Amino acid sequence: MSAGDPTDQSDRELEDRLRSSFASTRLPIAPATIRSRPSELVASERTVAGPGRSRAPWLAAAAAVLAIGLVGSVLLVGSRQPSKAPPSGDSTSPSNATASAGLTDALFAPGQATSGDGWRLIAGGVGLRREPTGPVAPRIELFSGAGLVKPREMLDIPSGAPSIDDASEALLVMDLLVGSGPGCGQVRFDGVTFDQALHTLTARYTQPAGGSGPSGSPAGCQLLGVPAALAVAIARTQFVPGEWTLELQRSESATTWTTIATASIGAPTMPVPLSEATVADGAGSFPKGGLWATRQTLLSLSTDGGRSWASITMPVAATPFVLDPGHIWIASAGPGSSQEMGSSTDVLHLVVDRTADGGRTWQRATVEGDFAGTTPVLAFADAQHGYLLAAGLRFGNGSRVFRTNDGGVTWHEVLSTVEKLGSIFGLGPDGSLWAGTEGDAGPVERPVLDVSRDGGKTWVDARLPGLEGSRTAVNTVVGPPAFFGDDGAVGVTTPGGDGCCALSTFVTADRGRTWSRAGSSQAGVGSSPALAFVARGRWIMSGPRPDTMRVTDDGGATWRTMAATGLAGQPLAWLGFADPNAGAGLVYLGDTPAPEGLVVTSDGGASWTRASIEP
Amino acid sequence: MIAAGVITTPRTRGRALSIEGEGETAGRSWFRSIGDGELDRAYRLAGLLLGDAGEAEDAAQDALARAWHQRNSLRSLDSAQAWFDRILVNICRDRLRRRRTVRWIPISGAEASTAADPFAAAIARDAMLRHVAVLDPDHRIVVVLRFWADLPLEAIADRLAIPLGTVKSRLHYALRELRGQIERSGEVR
């Protein structure tokens, strides 16, 4: 019998039984939290970009729910503090530092300590997450150093719940199950004290009657392979930097307290405040220390590694190609275009706007024809010579390549094909053109990475080892190959691995004529990881945790993990470097979907501060 | 003279162009039009794959969030179902695989049992579904997509981004495993 082509009687019977079992089983309907979600998401698009949203209610609600959920425990230690400016020296006022829907507001780098009787205190890495908008309950997620602790369900925020002022600082501590085996009890916290001067948090608990909290035998209470875990949810609107300590104290009489474990936890990181000025739509790097970022029609440029930025206004809100601060091109949909659905039944007229004087004046060229079902991408070698690739989308009719020799005034077609070149488009130092697959709904039917060495007329498979001949759209190229002289590197994500995707990196020493596999990683890689080829052999990518980066200096042979401060526990969506020290990133300003904020580093990714895109 | 030393690698928020002032993409249209039927289907698919209502809810939420973030990658409403299924199934698959190393610990304690879980209960009531629930994640996914969602093998291959032959072989091995389970459990057919 051939696999999956069941012909014999018993297979058909089994299939019928399966169908009948599925058909006769009554399954629940989606709860309200899911039903309300699509409209919330559509609504969030309109609201997140707006300035000056209020932020206190969600925090207050979280506090109230916790307080109500843990009757009899002292849970809130609120101390009014004057608002502090973020450590970046940024002048944005706290009231403008809006906590957006879904913003993870905080947190500590994990720390841990072991007590004398074998219990381990794990603290930090704590986040408070709120699902967007409406009456949906805030949900607290606790990330202990050892894994995830599932949040207590918290529903129905009562009206008239006590509120916490924006400027106050509140600590929220939850009761936790310590371990899950037989004989394990719940640790009921009696209170938490918070000494800001000493940077100490003290969590106190009493021994539950008949229970076996941390003083009992830990043997049956394995939690994720460690004797016990303690997680403390801390939600505050402002943090002060410094080293923090968390003490776990025990009492059997409730009058005397013994410290059984002390964990030093990392300096709290500042949430990156979301403000109108921070949000970025896109970002990129260009030679000689250049970084750019856009927000709607604003294009901000930095030529000093992100220390200072100057904005110009683009004629359209679209992705620019920045050669240098003087020379910028933008391809976009021109007059007469219909709504662009990526379908060949659309009408898409392409225009290319250009400036040769740093945005003081813009000129527009129209590229003749209908480009329905394509995505336009640009690449320029110098101020005169460049290419426009109308990359073929899945439901389109094909791809076209144009060339300009006069800085974008006139465009000449060099290729029109029914094949679909990918939209990850770049130019090599020898004039080679590269087109890579972008996403699983993007270009298909071509190799993962295509190369043309005759100005776009013919394209061949770049033959990345292991991916030769692969024409599936699920392998995506992270960015066009980066070249440093004859050396180059490119990253590709493929399905599989324990996370969403595995990242494979490839290197060349002959300008991309032959490639070899540098390495692969399966740890925590999304389909579009933030990966930057900074210099020959030196690559940086975000992860594996939001507050760390991974760095290699030997072209991917060995990676080390480096702490990265200032990212507020939010992962990077994109990473680019203008030189080995100066870089920019787009950080998610909340759980996705969330706007992205521009952050910059001047020390190779170890510390980050936010940057603003302002007129 | 071609002089690009460093290639600009911009990162943008999706590739679909929008006309100024009327940026309605296929993805956004789909989100606007999505109804309870689609949401129920997503929730149930996740519940059958994960066997846990809480996880199904989280997975469906995550899938909606991820789909929203990638909404510009949806090129046509015609393919919306397959596009969203793929996102959801990937999330469920990630969760199933993660279970090997990370256990979820309910903070609220021992009262959190499976008795109140509608998916766990529905699955527990049916012998066949109990067998399906202990299949390897990849096998469970093809069985649910084939016999619950009633998808053709080609559509399953598309959603899982695997070759048709792999779908066939997974289904073959899944059925073989199910038959073995039934025989071991002593059920009469």
Side-chain angles (χ1 to χ4, degrees):
Chain A
M1 190 196 80
S2 68
D5 184 18
T7 51
D8 73 31
Q9 183 67 19
S10 65
D11 262 359
R12 268 202 292 279
E13 270 181 35
L14 184 56
E15 294 186 358
D16 288 346
R17 287 184 65 193
L18 278 164
R19 283 200 180 86
S20 142
S21 283
F22 279 124
S24 63
T25 299
R26 277 179 60 92
L27 295 174
I29 61 166
T33 47
I34 296 176
R35 286 169 188 266
S36 59
R37 196 68 197 275
S39 56
E40 287 168 5
L41 290 168
V42 174
S44 74
E45 189 178 38
R46 289 193 295 275
T47 54
V48 286
R53 298 175 64 216
S54 67
R55 66 154 167 195
W58 65 269
L59 181 58
V65 170
L66 274 171
I68 288 158
L70 299 170
V71 176
S73 298
V74 179
L75 286 164
L76 282 171
V77 180
S79 60
R80 292 185 65 88
Q81 298 291 335
S83 300
K84 292 170 213 45
S88 61
D90 188 281
S91 62
T92 303
S93 72
S95 64
N96 195 31
T98 307
S100 82
L103 178 63
T104 296
D105 187 38
L107 317 55
F108 294 103
Q112 60 178 35
T114 309
S115 73
D117 52 357
W119 287 86
R120 191 178 299 177
L121 168 64
I122 298 172
V126 173
L128 181 137
R129 189 173 82 167
R130 182 194 179 247
E131 298 297 331
T133 70
V136 181
R139 299 201 306 184
I140 301 240
E141 291 202 352
L142 303 172
F143 301 83
S144 77
L148 296 172
V149 180
K150 185 159 181 152
R152 164 197 287 269
E153 284 302 316
M154 292 182 294
L155 301 170
D156 300 330
I157 299 166
S159 59
S163 66
I164 299 176
D165 185 82
D166 267 11
S168 67
E169 294 170 333
L171 301 179
L172 310 178
V173 178
M174 301 177 72
D175 58 341
L176 299 169
L177 183 71
V178 179
S180 60
C184 293
Q186 237 171 325
V187 175
R188 184 67 72 168
F189 284 98
D190 293 308
V192 166
T193 54
F194 163 52
D195 187 324
Q196 185 176 299
L198 294 175
H199 288 172
T200 302
L201 315 171
T202 307
R204 292 182 158 187
Y205 69 93
T206 45
Q207 186 68 40
S212 56
S215 67
S217 162
C221 300
Q222 292 288 314
L223 177 70
L224 304 166
V226 298
L230 167 69
V232 181
I234 301 163
R236 297 168 57 211
T237 55
Q238 294 289 315
F239 281 99
V240 289
E243 286 297 316
W244 287 70
T245 310
L246 193 140
E247 287 187 359
L248 182 61
Q249 298 183 339
R250 179 180 71 216
S251 170
E252 282 163 26
S253 64
T255 52
T256 58
W257 293 86
T258 317
T259 298
I260 62 163
T262 303
S264 176
I265 52 183
T269 51
M270 288 296 299
V272 176
L274 172 63
S275 72
E276 170 83 351
T278 313
V279 175
D281 297 328
S285 57
F286 56 91
K288 295 173 193 162
L291 297 165
W292 62 262
T294 60
R295 178 165 58 85
Q296 294 161 13
T297 57
L298 279 180
L299 169 63
S300 262
L301 298 156
S302 172
T303 52
D304 57 5
R307 277 183 290 281
S308 62
W309 295 77
S311 290
I312 60 175
T313 300
M314 302 186 290
V316 292
T319 304
F321 182 92
V322 181
L323 180 71
D324 58 52
H327 296 88
I328 300 157
W329 295 264
I330 309 159
S332 64
S337 300
S338 66
Q339 285 190 2
E340 163 65 7
M341 306 283 279
S343 154
S344 54
T345 57
D346 297 331
V347 177
L348 175 58
H349 295 146
L350 286 186
V351 292
V352 180
D353 292 296
R354 65 182 187 278
T355 180
D357 56 12
R360 275 189 291 280
T361 60
W362 291 87
Q363 295 81 38
R364 172 167 288 189
T366 300
V367 188
E368 292 301 322
D370 183 2
F371 294 84
T374 70
T375 285
V377 277
L378 293 164
F380 275 79
D382 56 40
Q384 300 302 317
H385 301 97
Y387 293 89
L388 166 67
L389 166 64
L393 299 175
R394 173 166 295 184
F395 302 103
N397 291 330
S399 316
R400 293 163 79 182
V401 180
F402 292 81
R403 177 179 173 84
T404 181
N405 296 320
D406 54 13
V409 180
T410 56
W411 292 89
H412 308 283
E413 186 171 276
V414 293
L415 175 70
S416 178
T417 173
V418 295
E419 304 234 21
K420 290 152 187 166
L421 293 164
S423 54
I424 301 294
F425 186 48
L427 257 170
D430 57 353
S432 54
L433 285 166
W434 300 85
T437 303
E438 187 188 15
D440 67 357
V444 290
E445 299 159 25
R446 285 299 302 172
V448 176
L449 183 63
D450 264 306
V451 60
S452 172
R453 297 189 182 278
D454 57 6
K457 290 200 241 341
T458 58
W459 294 79
V460 294
D461 188 347
R463 299 189 62 78
L464 300 176
L467 297 172
E468 303 98 329
S470 164
R471 295 204 164 201
T472 168
V474 300
N475 301 319
T476 63
V477 180
V478 178
F483 288 99
F484 306 95
D486 289 344
D487 289 345
V490 69
V492 177
T493 60
T494 54
D498 282 341
C500 144
C501 299
L503 172 70
S504 297
T505 44
F506 301 89
V507 291
T508 178
D510 56 9
R511 301 186 174 194
R513 290 182 186 275
T514 57
W515 293 88
S516 57
R517 186 181 283 266
S520 62
S521 162
Q522 303 199 334
V525 175
S527 60
S528 180
L531 166 69
F533 300 108
V534 177
R536 184 180 276 111
R538 183 178 178 83
W539 311 341
I540 298 183
M541 65 184 291
S542 67
R545 290 203 318 267
D547 57 352
T548 60
M549 313 281 262
R550 299 204 300 153
V551 185
T552 178
D553 285 309
D554 52 14
T558 56
W559 291 82
R560 64 191 160 85
T561 300
M562 170 176 84
T565 60
L567 294 173
Q570 292 299 126
L572 282 164
W574 174 86
L575 191 59
F577 279 80
D579 65 47
N581 289 319
L586 292 179
V587 63
Y588 289 117
L589 294 170
D591 293 322
T592 55
E596 289 156 15
L598 180 65
V599 288
V600 294
T601 181
S602 57
D603 56 10
S607 64
W608 295 84
T609 53
R610 72 188 185 93
S612 293
I613 304 169
E614 282 161 349
Chain B
M1 163 65 194
I2 293 194
V6 176
I7 288 177
T8 302
T9 59
R11 199 253 174 205
T12 58
R13 299 169 68 77
R15 284 287 181 189
L17 290 178
S18 58
I19 312 303
E20 230 171 323
E22 44 172 331
E24 188 74 4
T25 61
R28 205 175 294 128
S29 302
W30 180 74
F31 263 91
R32 224 181 279 289
S33 69
I34 187 170
D36 285 351
E38 282 105 324
L39 296 169
D40 286 342
R41 184 182 179 282
Y43 178 61
R44 288 168 169 177
L45 176 56
L48 284 170
L49 294 179
L50 297 166
D52 179 292
E55 281 219 59
E57 186 178 343
D58 287 351
Q61 295 264 24
D62 287 354
L64 283 167
R66 196 177 293 179
W68 175 252
H69 195 68
Q70 301 173 0
R71 62 193 180 279
N72 288 343
S73 73
L74 177 61
R75 301 302 179 185
S76 153
L77 282 176
D78 296 341
S79 56
Q81 176 85 69
W83 172 79
F84 184 62
D85 270 5
R86 181 185 299 155
I87 292 170
L88 178 67
V89 169
N90 272 334
I91 285 171
C92 292
R93 187 167 171 276
D94 290 349
R95 283 175 172 264
L96 287 166
R97 292 177 151 246
R98 206 181 300 136
R99 277 185 193 165
R100 293 178 189 164
T101 50
V102 177
R103 283 182 297 140
W104 288 91
I105 311 298
I107 290 173
S108 45
E111 72 270 17
S113 74
T114 55
D117 187 306
F119 277 109
I123 290 168
R125 275 195 297 272
D126 187 286
M128 277 305 287
L129 299 192
R130 285 201 301 275
H131 293 314
V132 171
V134 295
L135 288 175
D136 171 86
D138 285 335
H139 290 164
R140 195 184 321 174
I141 288 168
V142 292
V143 166
V144 170
L145 291 179
R146 181 79 188 96
F147 300 110
W148 178 74
D150 204 25
L151 291 175
L153 299 180
E154 292 78 8
I156 297 173
D158 180 48
R159 278 159 174 74
L160 301 181
I162 56 177
L164 183 59
T166 309
V167 177
K168 288 180 176 176
S169 71
R170 283 187 189 172
L171 201 54
H172 170 68
Y173 288 114
L175 293 176
R176 196 172 71 176
E177 172 61 25
L178 283 173
R179 199 188 328 279
Q181 283 186 36
I182 292 166
E183 280 161 10
R184 284 193 296 277
S185 70
E187 278 179 50
V188 182
R189 286 206 270 163

